[in-house]
Amino acid sequence: MDHLTTLESESIAILRESYALFKKPLALYSVGKDSSVLLHLIMKSFAPSKPRIPLLHIDTGFKFPEMIEFRDRRAKELGFKLIVHRNEQAINNATNPYRDGIASCCGQLKTAALLEALGAQGCDAAIGGARRDEEISRAKERFFSFRDTFGQWEPRGQRPELWRIFNAQIKEGESMRIFPLSNWTEADIWEYIKREGIEVVPLYFGEKRLVFRNNDQLMPAMEKSAEQGSVYEEVVRYRTLGCYHCTAAVKSEAKTLDEIIAETSIARISERSTRVIDHGANSMEDKKREGYF
């Protein structure tokens, strides 16, 4: 088998194992490129049946409009059950990173909302598209990553996975986070998207967009705020997608998959370098210990 087929087979095996071992698994759908690949793999895992694992999207109220449109359309087209959850109290309180700080905003709109949703759904396994090459703390994750009754992660308490044998035994209230794409790289993701003809959000392709400069980052000019500098037009694309307050663009003329693949092949920093939430005093590992995905 070629490299991509080997990765595909590994991921499908983990998805089928997850469905077999847990009572109520959910797939977290961020609407990004990795999530799009994950949905495609779930489809392949259960073909010709309809996908048996429902999707959960945590809506912070700050997602790009293109992401929301894409989320609803693709879930319907592919036959997935889509569950959307928001921390309505935090949203009604106008929680935002400028007033409350990135750590607090992310904690309320993402982590708290995720833990609340998983509890409400009775979920014992949450499957996500995180990869080990994205960020240093994610490189510490196993395929099956144990979470305690508070949804918290202890990296030193993970279980061995010798010969791909997974210990999925959990007590009431405990759960697993499962990462079928752990061994994939950003380049693998784009090569697979091209090979399989997977549709992704147009924000990944270079286009003239309104941005403003915040330190050394090009931020999307989605709404006027005191924190914005001068807004101007630039040809940019996004290597990763999240809340628009915390997702920077990169200058890029890449308008096709081949151009994105060529650009990715010479990149020397992770796409997570454009995610503002990764650079504060509250690190990604701190967030993951608290329950963030």
Side-chain angles (χ1 to χ4, degrees):
M1 293 190 293
D2 63 29
H3 176 61
L4 290 179
T5 303
T6 300
L7 288 172
E8 177 190 69
S9 297
E10 177 182 67
S11 298
I12 288 175
I14 292 167
L15 285 166
R16 288 173 175 166
E17 190 83 350
S18 303
Y19 182 74
L21 292 175
F22 295 96
K23 295 178 181 179
K24 196 168 184 181
L26 293 173
L28 298 191
Y29 186 33
S30 71
V31 201
K33 62 185 183 302
D34 304 301
S35 278
S36 293
V37 168
L38 183 62
L39 264 61
H40 185 77
L41 292 168
I42 293 173
M43 296 284 293
K44 279 197 165 187
S45 298
F46 302 107
S49 300
K50 287 187 176 181
R52 301 181 183 180
I53 299 175
L55 305 180
L56 171 63
H57 176 78
I58 301 301
D59 186 358
T60 62
F62 293 129
K63 299 297 183 182
F64 291 87
E66 296 94 328
M67 295 175 67
I68 301 302
E69 183 279 328
F70 187 88
R71 176 198 73 189
D72 295 341
R73 177 171 59 81
R74 290 301 286 160
K76 184 176 181 180
E77 289 173 352
L78 298 175
F80 281 92
K81 176 184 177 183
L82 174 65
I83 302 162
V84 178
H85 188 83
R86 294 158 41 115
N87 184 341
E88 295 293 351
Q89 181 177 351
I91 290 174
N92 291 337
N93 289 337
T95 301
N96 67 78
Y98 301 118
R99 187 195 70 191
D100 304 292
I102 292 172
S104 177
C105 180
C106 186
Q108 295 180 67
L109 296 180
K110 289 187 174 180
T111 304
L114 174 60
L115 295 176
E116 185 178 78
L118 295 177
Q121 295 297 323
C123 170
D124 56 354
I127 305 167
R131 311 184 323 268
R132 291 190 180 119
D133 76 322
E134 285 182 278
E135 196 271 338
I136 189 169
S137 68
R138 288 187 166 171
K140 298 178 181 180
E141 293 276 17
R142 303 280 170 84
F143 284 111
F144 279 36
S145 186
F146 175 77
R147 295 299 194 273
D148 64 20
T149 54
F150 299 101
Q152 297 176 330
W153 176 61
E154 172 49 62
R156 291 173 296 182
Q158 295 190 85
R159 299 169 178 180
E161 295 180 344
L162 305 176
W163 305 287
R164 295 292 187 271
I165 297 174
F166 304 111
N167 178 356
Q169 295 187 12
I170 55 175
K171 298 176 182 177
E172 186 70 27
E174 297 174 341
S175 63
M176 287 285 184
R177 304 285 171 87
I178 301 171
F179 303 98
L181 304 182
S182 289
N183 288 337
W184 297 58
T185 65
E186 183 184 12
D188 294 329
I189 291 293
W190 283 116
E191 290 278 6
Y192 189 74
I193 286 170
K194 179 186 175 184
R195 189 184 86 171
E196 300 290 307
I198 300 170
E199 186 179 354
V200 294
V201 182
L203 293 165
Y204 284 114
F205 298 95
E207 186 179 309
K208 282 187 178 180
R209 296 183 170 97
L210 291 175
V211 297
F212 67 96
R213 185 167 290 280
N214 182 11
N215 297 321
D216 60 344
Q217 301 273 38
L218 289 176
M219 304 303 297
M222 300 295 296
E223 54 188 47
K224 188 62 181 174
S225 72
E227 286 70 24
Q228 289 184 7
S230 299
V231 174
Y232 61 98
E233 201 172 61
E234 184 74 75
V235 179
V236 298
R237 73 179 190 89
Y238 295 90
R239 289 179 67 191
T240 178
L241 293 174
C243 298
Y244 53 73
H245 285 310
C246 300
T247 303
V250 295
K251 289 185 180 181
S252 174
E253 299 277 351
K255 293 180 170 63
T256 68
L257 288 175
D258 284 331
E259 290 171 341
I260 290 176
I261 289 167
E263 195 175 84
T264 303
S265 70
I266 60 174
R268 292 295 175 264
I269 57 174
S270 166
E271 70 264 42
R272 295 289 305 192
S273 64
T274 61
R275 296 292 287 275
V276 178
I277 62 170
D278 289 5
H279 307 304
N282 185 238
S283 69
M284 173 62 79
E285 183 160 329
D286 293 331
K287 294 181 179 73
K288 288 174 70 65
R289 286 174 182 270
E290 295 165 0
Y292 183 73
F293 207 80

